[in-house]
Amino acid sequence: MRKILASVLLVLMPLTACAQMPEAQAQTQIQEQTLQGEVLVVMVKTGEIRQAGMGLHLARAAAKKGADVTVIFGADAVGFPQVSGDQPVFEATGETPRQMIIEIMQNGGDVNVCKLCTVWLELEQNDFMDGVEIVNGQAIFDALYQDDAVTLEF
């Protein structure tokens, strides 16, 4: 519950403060806001592009603002960080998940895939983009429950 409340506050506090400013000033304040020192973990389990795309979009925005971002793919979302194959386009940005993943990693974010999911899908490390790491359940647990982490699930 604490993490859910923290994630809501992380998003709403800057927006509420900016709601009372003139539009141009509010936009500048949001753009200049840094998330340095914040920890965000985004767990993506759905293969549904609208939901997964929202999670990736938020992860990318946080990484660009300096947050320590980890994205973990599991279940039906394991295809998104694969090196090849067709991908749906996230209509809101006109990008594929692969394009957003590249930007997350370019901005210092970590991208992981659930090892258990790769086993049942018979996937190996070379099936995934450079920089994507297959991790075990303990590593996923440690990422989700690290101190002060905000965890979002899609």
Side-chain angles (χ1 to χ4, degrees), residues 83-146:
V83 74
S84 62
D86 292 336
Q87 292 204 328
V89 172
F90 181 47
E91 298 149 354
T93 64
E95 300 167 289
T96 65
R98 194 175 292 125
Q99 291 170 306
M100 289 188 274
I101 292 166
I102 289 169
E103 267 195 81
I104 290 166
M105 291 190 295
Q106 287 173 339
N107 284 284
D110 294 320
V111 178
N112 300 319
V113 176
C114 167
K115 182 176 184 174
L116 182 63
C117 301
T118 64
V119 170
W120 84 61
L121 293 169
E122 299 179 1
L123 298 170
E124 297 177 5
Q125 185 65 54
N126 63 357
D127 293 313
F128 296 99
M129 302 163 56
D130 288 340
V132 174
E133 182 180 355
I134 297 174
V135 296
N136 64 25
Q138 184 64 52
I140 293 171
F141 180 85
D142 291 347
L144 292 171
Y145 290 97
Q146 59 188 304

Side-chain angles (χ1 to χ4, degrees), residues 10-32:
L10 182 68
V11 172
L12 293 182
M13 284 182 0
L15 296 178
T16 358
C18 293
Q20 298 169 3
M21 298 179 194
E23 186 175 339
Q25 184 182 357
Q27 192 63 24
T28 301
Q29 177 127 357
I30 290 172
Q31 289 172 354
E32 292 174 358

Side-chain angles (χ1 to χ4, degrees), residues 52-90:
M54 176 74 165
L56 292 172
H57 182 69
L58 292 173
R60 177 177 57 189
K64 284 183 174 181
K65 291 186 176 286
D68 178 8
V69 175
T70 301
V71 179
I72 304 167
F73 290 95
D76 296 330
V78 172
F80 293 141
Q82 287 185 29
V83 74
S84 62
D86 292 336
Q87 292 204 328
V89 172
F90 181 47

